[in-house]
């Protein structure tokens, strides 16, 4: 199974993951600017625009950190790992996979926008994350 996963180009998976992150940041910016209604995201559970704005700002910060980690883990930014850090990064990425899968479920249980658009984005991002997570770094 791992051999099949590793056939997909690591850098392509990295670029796809970064593109997914940037798209999601754009969605959050559209919510903050009021272009997208705040009830379309976060499962429609935000009580007010201010709550949705705080959630979107937090999400943007987390996404920016994730993009940096993705750039390093997919070797788009080449950093040599010694055995210890290679294992740490691999374990970190593999532990995050179930959280990404939960994100897919949350999107499918959310608003119509989340079901139709963001669930597809999340599924594509999950597939790219699986490829990046199972790269042998040591």
């Amino acid at each position: 199974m791992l051999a099949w996963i590793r056939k997909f180009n690591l850098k392509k998976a990295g670029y796809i993951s970064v593109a997914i992150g940037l798209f999601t940041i754009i969605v959050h910016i559209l919510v903050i600017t009021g272009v997208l209604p705040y009830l379309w995201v976060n499962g429609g559970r935000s009580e007010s625009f201010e709550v949705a704005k705080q959630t979107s700002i937090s999400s943007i910060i987390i996404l920016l950190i994730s993009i940096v980690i993705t750039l390093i883990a997919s070797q788009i930014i080449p950093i040599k790992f010694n055995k210890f850090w290679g294992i740490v990064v691999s374990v970190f990425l593999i532990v995050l996979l179930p959280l990404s899968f939960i994100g897919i479920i949350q999107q499918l249980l959310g608003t119509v926008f989340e079901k139709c658009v963001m669930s597809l984005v999340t599924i594509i991002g999950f597939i790219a994350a699986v490829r990046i997570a199972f790269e042998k770094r040591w």
Side-chain angles (χ1 to χ4, degrees), residues 47-68:
E47 297 174 6
S48 67
F49 173 74
E50 288 303 316
V51 172
K53 182 178 172 183
Q54 290 173 350
T55 303
S56 289
I57 290 171
S58 299
S59 297
I60 289 171
I61 292 168
I62 292 168
L63 284 164
L64 289 172
I65 293 168
S66 299
I67 288 172
V68 171

Side-chain angles (χ1 to χ4, degrees), residues 8 18 34 54 65 69 71 80 87 96 105 109 130 133:
F8 188 63
V18 168
Q54 290 173 350
I65 293 168
I69 291 170
L71 289 170
K80 289 276 187 182
I87 292 171
L96 288 180
I105 294 169
L109 296 174
V130 167

Side-chain angles (χ1 to χ4, degrees), residues 17 51 79 97 106-107 114 131:
S17 187
V51 172
I79 294 178
L97 287 178
Q106 287 178 328
Q107 298 301 321
E114 290 173 329
R131 171 57 185 102

